[in-house]
Amino acid sequence: MEKETSDQLIRETMKTAGLSDSFIADFIQKVDAVRNGETGMVRWEEVGDLDPNADEISLEEIHSSYPLDRALLSKLVVIKLNGGLGTSMGLDKAKSLIPIKGTLSFLSVMAKQIEFLRTKFGIEVPLLFMDSYNTQEDSQKELKLNGFKQTLRSSFLQHKVPRLDAKTYAPIQSKVEKDNWCPPGHGDIYFTMMEEGILDELLNKGFEIAFLSNGDNLGATVDPQIVSYLLKENIHFAMEMTPKTLADKKGGAIYRKLVGGRMTQYELLETAQVPKEHEREFSGLGKFRTFSTNNLWINLRALKERFNQGNFSLSLIVNPKQVDGKDIIQLETAMGSAVGNFSKFKGIIIPRDRFAPVKKTEDYLIRRSDAYVLNEDFSLTMAKERKDKGLGEVLVSLDEKHYKKIQQFDALFVSLPSLLYCEELAVEGEVLFDVPVTIKGKVKFLNTSGTLKKLSSLNKTDFENQTITL
């Protein structure tokens, strides 16, 4: 198919969906880049190491040198990414609406985190959600049910872009309309804030710092002293980074981009951008000591100035998928890749407590269990008893055939096991957790019978460092 034809089809499809001319032009530019051979892959020789002295600061150092300043805290706005449906977990509604602790949903916990902050400091810190066309209505209902109120709007809608045929780059035409579209990745947040007038609205009301994080990471609560640090040192872009462990094969990393051996800018490297021959090096614990948590802080004045300069760029991620058995591509950008537009950058080295995401049912089990607790400020962190024992993140492996989707998970985890002192839990085959059990150390449940087995059939409630065949 000719470039002109596919561009025209893209333009018409997006125009009919009510998308703006400038957004359509930006998307066609990305399609052109892919058509001309852009794969989103990095050149490995350009991936340079960060300088710990110049590029990083620890949270401890911020806490010891930058005291809380209420006047500065009043310049903060909190933005949560809430566009995800959790399709990998089999959800067809916002992931943030499912319960995470007791009956409280992710969304309820986020609202309570902000209400706690407001009560403690007497400042109405606003909470904004970047929703997608799939999540906005349900999420706003949930907020109302929680009695959450503020003077600013609490939601803005991220764009949607057409999925493209991998060969022709024309928009696909599935019978299911929603399958024809995808979110453009959370990098869309900057374009949306600019286009919707949110950036100007916030600046006009005196807000200067935005704290952005994923809606499924309930460890990402406001640290008022980070706000003091950013404003006093005039940092334009900061990413929270945490030391890598064996549980972190996929986290992105910030690096210094080197051209001809000289640094040109900071960049974010995502898993999808790593050449295949370097995947082991990327996911290992050698070259990249830390990974980016997607908890980021941005100076809104600097963002506006950078936009006005033009050519605000985000690195492209080309995501191959299949729809109706056909190869398609999704063009996405990551919000952290905006780092490439700012020279006044700092990586904030944080403890693991500020990173507790839920991407799969394994994560969901860990966070719902007693290995994690909701604190007074409604942050979700690892239980103190676990930390006192020197235990790290629980490693959980659940049989994908039986536990991948949330409906399967809920049906098989009727009773959540105690994982307070668990190091590793593996489940192979279909096992029904129908009674309360305590798991310590490394435990594996193995069911090769091909039929459902109940834990209650073992007449035992404590398991420690053993493999159990049912």
Side-chain angles (χ1 to χ4, degrees):
M1 185 181 286
E2 294 288 319
K3 166 181 157 40
E4 286 75 17
T5 314
S6 66
D7 282 1
Q8 190 54 33
L9 286 169
I10 290 169
R11 204 171 278 111
E12 286 166 7
T13 303
M14 293 178 80
K15 198 86 181 138
T16 306
L19 295 159
S20 73
D21 290 340
S22 54
F23 184 69
I24 295 169
D26 180 73
F27 183 70
I28 288 175
Q29 212 176 340
K30 289 185 173 75
V31 178
D32 264 352
V34 177
R35 196 186 273 117
N36 294 328
E38 173 64 67
T39 61
M41 293 292 170
V42 298
R43 293 170 185 236
W44 204 248
E45 66 273 14
E46 293 183 351
V47 179
D49 299 337
L50 290 180
D51 175 346
N53 296 320
D55 301 331
E56 299 171 358
I57 186 170
S58 71
L59 191 58
E60 290 85 353
E61 197 181 325
I62 290 175
H63 283 173
S64 63
S65 307
Y66 298 89
L68 159 75
D69 183 328
R70 281 169 196 258
L72 297 183
L73 184 60
S74 66
K75 296 175 186 290
L76 175 74
V77 57
V78 176
I79 302 175
K80 295 286 184 182
L81 305 180
N82 189 44
L85 270 186
T87 43
S88 58
M89 289 165 65
L91 286 164
D92 56 4
K93 62 178 180 179
K95 191 202 291 181
S96 59
L97 299 182
I98 60 174
I100 183 65
K101 271 297 172 196
T103 56
L104 287 178
S105 68
F106 286 87
L107 205 86
S108 307
V109 173
M110 284 184 269
K112 287 182 184 301
Q113 287 174 349
I114 293 295
E115 285 166 346
F116 176 86
L117 193 72
R118 290 174 179 176
T119 304
K120 183 173 180 181
F121 297 108
I123 297 167
E124 197 199 291
V125 176
L127 172 63
L128 273 65
F129 289 93
M130 181 167 85
D131 290 307
S132 69
Y133 52 97
N134 288 317
T135 63
Q136 191 175 43
E137 198 179 329
D138 289 347
S139 298
Q140 285 297 299
K141 261 188 212 154
E142 174 94 349
L143 271 185
K144 276 203 182 80
L145 281 174
N146 277 276
F148 186 79
K149 290 186 178 73
Q150 64 186 30
T151 46
L152 265 180
R153 61 170 125 178
S154 57
S155 170
F156 60 97
L157 198 58
Q158 80 177 104
H159 288 101
K160 58 180 182 177
V161 293
R163 284 172 159 159
L164 305 175
D165 184 294
K167 289 195 181 73
T168 65
Y169 303 112
I172 65 165
Q173 293 179 309
S174 169
K175 289 190 179 78
V176 183
E177 173 60 15
K178 74 177 173 64
D179 287 349
N180 293 326
W181 298 90
C182 64
H186 39 62
D188 182 54
I189 191 163
Y190 308 109
F191 211 109
T192 303
M193 283 173 72
M194 195 70 186
E195 206 170 65
E196 294 277 308
I198 290 164
L199 187 52
D200 286 336
E201 188 183 339
L202 291 171
L203 285 169
N204 291 340
K205 286 189 159 66
F207 296 105
E208 288 184 35
I209 295 286
F211 175 40
L212 285 60
S213 62
N214 290 349
D216 65 11
N217 176 15
L218 296 177
T221 51
V222 169
D223 185 314
Q225 287 174 259
I226 293 179
V227 182
S228 298
Y229 164 68
L230 298 172
L231 287 169
K232 284 180 176 161
E233 298 298 335
N234 194 28
I235 302 295
H236 292 171
F237 193 100
M239 172 70 82
E240 294 187 21
M241 309 189 311
T242 195
K244 231 176 182 189
T245 71
L246 293 170
D248 309 308
K249 294 222 166 111
K250 286 198 161 180
I254 306 279
Y255 68 97
R256 285 179 164 221
K257 184 176 180 177
L258 305 176
V259 177
R262 297 182 63 174
M263 179 192 169
T264 57
Q265 64 200 69
Y266 297 101
E267 287 283 2
L268 173 73
L269 179 59
E270 294 277 19
T271 313
Q273 297 168 299
V274 177
K276 215 159 191 52
E277 64 272 23
H278 293 287
E279 280 175 359
R280 275 175 75 93
E281 190 180 354
F282 177 71
S283 60
L285 304 178
K287 185 172 176 64
F288 298 100
R289 298 164 292 110
T290 61
F291 69 94
S292 50
T293 59
N294 224 33
N295 301 349
L296 63 88
W297 303 77
I298 194 157
N299 183 300
L300 297 175
R301 286 187 192 284
L303 177 62
K304 172 80 175 174
E305 277 168 29
R306 184 61 193 80
F307 255 121
N308 288 344
Q309 287 166 18
N311 198 24
F312 185 88
S313 65
L314 300 169
S315 41
L316 188 59
I317 299 169
V318 182
N319 198 348
K321 299 251 178 185
Q322 280 211 330
V323 173
D324 302 335
K326 287 186 188 141
D327 289 338
I328 64 120
I329 53 170
Q330 295 184 179
L331 302 189
E332 301 170 11
T333 57
M335 124 180 139
S337 73
V339 67
N341 298 284
F342 301 95
S343 55
K344 292 181 178 175
F345 160 78
K346 266 291 194 277
I348 302 174
I349 308 300
I350 57 160
R352 190 58 184 230
D353 271 352
R354 293 182 60 76
F355 185 66
V358 175
K359 302 299 177 198
K360 302 190 295 187
T361 51
E362 281 97 339
D363 305 322
Y364 189 52
L365 174 61
I366 296 165
R367 313 289 177 239
R368 289 214 74 184
S369 79
D370 56 357
Y372 272 73
V373 293
L374 263 189
N375 303 299
E376 181 203 10
D377 64 352
F378 291 95
S379 59
L380 183 71
T381 62
M382 196 181 284
K384 183 178 181 301
E385 298 92 325
R386 193 176 170 78
K387 286 189 222 164
D388 291 347
K389 281 243 179 200
L391 294 170
E393 187 65 277
V394 193
L395 291 176
V396 171
S397 167
L398 301 175
D399 193 322
E400 283 215 336
K401 191 177 168 193
H402 301 290
Y403 296 92
K404 187 178 180 183
K405 306 294 188 196
I406 200 85
Q407 299 83 352
Q408 298 172 301
F409 176 92
D410 287 340
L412 290 172
F413 278 100
V414 175
S415 181
L416 292 170
S418 166
L419 301 180
L420 188 58
Y421 299 113
C422 173
E423 290 171 61
E424 293 179 26
L425 167 65
V427 183
E428 282 183 32
E430 194 176 11
V431 178
L432 174 64
F433 286 72
D434 57 333
V435 288
V437 293
T438 300
I439 296 166
K440 295 178 180 176
K442 299 177 181 182
V443 174
K444 183 173 189 176
F445 294 104
L446 192 57
N447 172 15
T448 54
S449 70
T451 58
L452 173 79
K453 295 285 182 182
K454 297 179 178 181
L455 269 196
S456 56
S457 66
L458 297 168
N459 293 317
K460 183 176 154 115
T461 57
D462 293 316
F463 302 92
E464 185 169 2
N465 293 322
Q466 59 193 127
T467 295
I468 309 286
T469 304
L470 288 102

